[in-house]
Amino acid sequence: MTADSSASGRPITVSVVDDDPMICQAMSMILNDYSGGRVTVVSTSGNGRDAVEQARAEHPDVVLMDIAMPGGDGIEATARLRRLPDPPHVLILTSLSPKDTVERAAEAGAEGFVSKTDAPEEIIDRIIGACEGRPQYNPASQRQLLADLHAHRPLTRRDEARALLDTLSERERQAVLLAAEGLTNQEIAERMFTSERTAKAHLSSASEKLCMSRVQIAQLVGRADLPSPLD
């Protein structure tokens, strides 16, 4: 589709989506007047719903998609565009990179970001680059994507640790949580109102189920970040 545009010499067709008519007008002027015939704007729209319908009818090569708009945000519209039979490339049109936006946009199928404050040639280069199959994430969006991934990674490790602990019985779970606090078998027994032999049996059973030593279980409990039992 867009690769053929470049090869055939015909302009790359673009649809601009933003609920601010001034932004649509400015982007249209930049792309039509500064691209030297390489890019042409075929339509503009003010919400995601209209953008999808226009793309279905016009088959633009690229859609520049704003994020916050009426009728569903731009990321939802991006996902709908990418499910079309002949989907356009989508670049998110934004002046900011709010938390989680970059990751959500990538998951929806967006191939990069275009800042509303970028120089005209940079915007045009990003559109051409997307058509050539090159992801167009500027340094700010790359930093945000990495920040989002790092922010989610500890939660994933915590959830994995909690899921492992959930495989234990209630009494085994209580025993390992107390052991992770550094309590001896006798102290664990006293806290659980049972015998030391029974407390030790709970810990041994938990160790066998998890295939972990007492030290490894303590580390697992630390990652799970759970409240102390019987408080």
Side-chain angles (χ1 to χ4, degrees), residues 137-204:
Y137 289 93
N138 58 23
S141 57
Q142 288 176 353
R143 286 193 297 271
Q144 185 62 61
L145 180 57
L146 290 173
D148 291 343
L149 292 174
H150 285 309
H152 289 174
R153 185 174 301 165
L155 292 178
T156 300
R157 287 173 58 80
R158 186 195 68 183
D159 293 342
E160 289 174 351
R162 290 185 176 186
L164 283 173
L165 292 174
D166 285 343
T167 64
L168 303 178
S169 71
E170 182 179 353
R171 297 294 276 175
E172 290 167 349
R173 181 185 172 92
Q174 290 174 349
V176 299
L177 292 183
L178 290 169
E181 293 183 2
L183 274 64
T184 65
N185 289 350
Q186 181 177 349
E187 291 169 332
I188 292 170
E190 291 173 355
R191 291 283 296 275
M192 293 180 65
F193 302 101
T194 189
S195 68
E196 183 175 349
R197 180 177 179 180
T198 300
K200 186 176 179 180
H202 287 319
L203 291 170
S204 296

Side-chain angles (χ1 to χ4, degrees), residues 44-66:
T44 63
S45 53
N47 61 71
R49 180 183 59 254
D50 290 348
V52 174
E53 292 307 312
Q54 286 184 335
R56 197 189 306 274
E58 298 168 351
H59 307 289
D61 296 323
V62 178
V63 174
L64 298 184
M65 178 71 70
D66 190 26

Side-chain angles (χ1 to χ4, degrees), residues 33-89:
D33 296 351
Y34 287 83
S35 68
R38 294 172 295 170
V39 177
T40 184
V41 175
V42 293
S43 65
T44 63
S45 53
N47 61 71
R49 180 183 59 254
D50 290 348
V52 174
E53 292 307 312
Q54 286 184 335
R56 197 189 306 274
E58 298 168 351
H59 307 289
D61 296 323
V62 178
V63 174
L64 298 184
M65 178 71 70
D66 190 26
I67 296 175
M69 296 182 296
D73 72 8
I75 293 177
E76 292 172 0
T78 295
R80 293 173 61 197
L81 285 170
R82 296 299 298 164
R83 290 195 294 267
L84 291 176
D86 188 20
H89 299 280

